[in-house]
Amino acid sequence: FGGLSRETVALKPNGQLLINLGGRVLLHDLATGRDVRIFRFPGDGRRGSSPVAWFAGGSMFAAGQGNQVAVFKRDSPEPIATAMVEQSPDQLAFSMDGTRLIALSQGRKPTLTVLDWKAGVVISSRQFAPGETPLRLLPELVAVQVMTPEPQLVAQDLQGSAKQRFPTANLAFI
């Protein structure tokens, strides 16, 4: 499985692992070493790895491929919903209540997109300000590195409001 990153794999507490390999999402059981199911992503099946994210409880998951995201039930190989985003996502997360899917694109113009995945529509989309570098997407927050006026890590809500600030000099884990 070359080219994998923490965004292209998602581990479930029961030892099952999702792996997104360019149009083919594998559900792999680490205990047995076997693939449990292969999920078919709609579209052109481009090569390369793309993000995946479990919904809490593991009954469904989301996967990205190009500018498309799809939501799957764990026990069905076909998606139950699909939606398009402006930029190819690098990270995905479900909202805490599972009604929204959040896509973070970290490309040339970093963008955060919030989707109503059941309706397949974009609820909101925003670009990050110059000097803001999104690092990690969480269900209701984004960890953002801000370099001015002083380097800091900022926990932003989905609308971009700062909820907590941490001077990067105090963060040994970054």
Side-chain angles (χ1 to χ4, degrees), residues 18-59:
L18 281 175
I19 305 169
N20 191 345
L21 297 170
R24 201 170 65 132
V25 181
L26 303 176
L27 178 60
H28 185 81
D29 188 317
L30 294 173
T32 65
R34 294 191 174 144
D35 292 338
V36 176
R37 181 165 284 110
I38 298 175
F39 299 88
R40 291 185 286 280
F41 202 98
D44 63 8
R46 295 179 347 168
R47 293 179 184 244
S49 298
S50 300
V52 289
W54 283 107
F55 176 62
S59 62

Side-chain angles (χ1 to χ4, degrees), residues 104-121:
L104 175 62
S105 302
Q106 295 171 294
R108 196 171 49 83
K109 294 181 181 178
T111 304
L112 186 72
T113 304
V114 180
L115 300 146
D116 175 336
W117 65 264
K118 287 182 182 178
V121 297

Side-chain angles (χ1 to χ4, degrees), residues 128-135 143-154 156 165-169 171 174:
F128 289 85
E132 292 183 340
T133 304
L135 301 175
V144 178
Q145 181 180 19
V146 178
M147 297 308 291
T148 58
E150 292 183 23
Q152 55 186 306
L153 182 68
V154 180
Q156 293 181 350
R165 295 178 183 272
F166 306 92
T168 55
L171 299 175
I174 289 182

Side-chain angles (χ1 to χ4, degrees), residues 87-111:
Q87 294 185 53
S88 180
D90 296 295
Q91 297 180 40
L92 296 171
F94 283 96
S95 60
M96 296 298 285
D97 64 3
T99 61
R100 296 167 292 149
L101 181 62
I102 303 107
L104 175 62
S105 302
Q106 295 171 294
R108 196 171 49 83
K109 294 181 181 178
T111 304

